[in-house]
Amino acid sequence: MRLTTKQRLFADEYIKSGNATQAYIKAGYSVQTPGSAKAASSRLLTNVNLKHYIDAKMTEIESHKIADAKEVLKFYTRVLREEETEEVAMATARDVITIRKKPSMKDKLSAAREIMKRYPLSNPVVQAQLRKLDADTRISEARAKSYEDGGQDVTEAVGAFIDLLKEGVDQNHENQSKQSSDS
């Protein structure tokens, strides 16, 4: 993308004003008549390298206008810590005054929820879901290993495991009943 100094100046001025003729003149191109500047600037805008340069600059400008995730999290944190305030108009007997108001409890709770959405590991529901996924993964791996080894069907192994668990629960229940009757 090789552009001359004048072409780069033209592109920068065009981005600022959106007026190709004025950008052409401000970039320092020679102008015989106002009509010639308009025609020459239109021709210049068809230059592929210039178009790429303008598109790249516009994308860069737009990306700076949009908040990134870190910026949003910092804002939520400032709200939660009552570092952000908002201006509120209040009517008095004679006039309307503007005061700075700290975030309400509702605003702080909302900010906290938004932050926690991004850090879900402390959420008990998410932890339960992660444990379930982990268990499902282990069962799938056991099935695969069982098929590879040509051994016992995993369904039978899982059934046997569940039977052992039930026996343990029943035995525990009997022991508790026995202890209750002894007391």
Side-chain angles (χ1 to χ4, degrees), residues 1-8 11 47 49-50 53-54:
M1 226 186 325
R2 301 300 266 162
L3 297 178
T4 66
T5 305
K6 281 187 179 181
Q7 287 173 330
R8 187 167 273 121
N47 181 321
N49 289 336
L50 191 72
Y53 177 81
I54 290 172

Side-chain angles (χ1 to χ4, degrees), residues 9-24 26:
L9 277 170
F10 168 79
D12 292 339
E13 287 298 325
Y14 178 71
I15 290 168
K16 287 179 195 173
S17 68
N19 185 322
T21 304
Q22 289 301 316
Y24 187 82
K26 285 184 179 180

Side-chain angles (χ1 to χ4, degrees), residues 24-87:
Y24 187 82
I25 294 167
K26 285 184 179 180
Y29 286 102
S30 61
V31 179
Q32 282 74 24
T33 65
S36 67
K38 184 175 182 177
S41 64
S42 293
R43 262 192 319 277
L44 197 51
L45 283 173
T46 62
N47 181 321
V48 174
N49 289 336
L50 191 72
K51 280 183 179 180
H52 287 301
Y53 177 81
I54 290 172
D55 289 343
K57 282 290 188 182
M58 292 298 288
T59 302
E60 182 182 321
I61 289 168
E62 285 302 313
S63 69
H64 289 297
K65 289 181 180 178
I66 298 171
D68 62 359
K70 188 174 183 177
E71 186 178 352
V72 171
L73 286 173
K74 283 180 179 181
F75 171 75
Y76 283 138
T77 302
R78 288 193 313 269
V79 170
L80 187 62
R81 293 180 178 162
E82 294 185 350
E83 296 167 358
E84 281 292 322
T85 59
E86 66 177 310
E87 291 186 4

Side-chain angles (χ1 to χ4, degrees), residues 127-161:
Q127 286 178 342
Q129 290 171 340
L130 289 173
R131 282 193 302 272
K132 182 182 181 310
L133 285 172
D134 189 40
D136 290 344
T137 302
R138 279 191 254 132
I139 289 170
S140 296
E141 288 171 352
R143 268 194 193 130
K145 185 167 178 18
S146 174
Y147 289 132
E148 287 173 3
D149 295 345
Q152 179 183 15
D153 181 46
V154 168
T155 309
E156 293 171 19
V158 170
F161 180 71

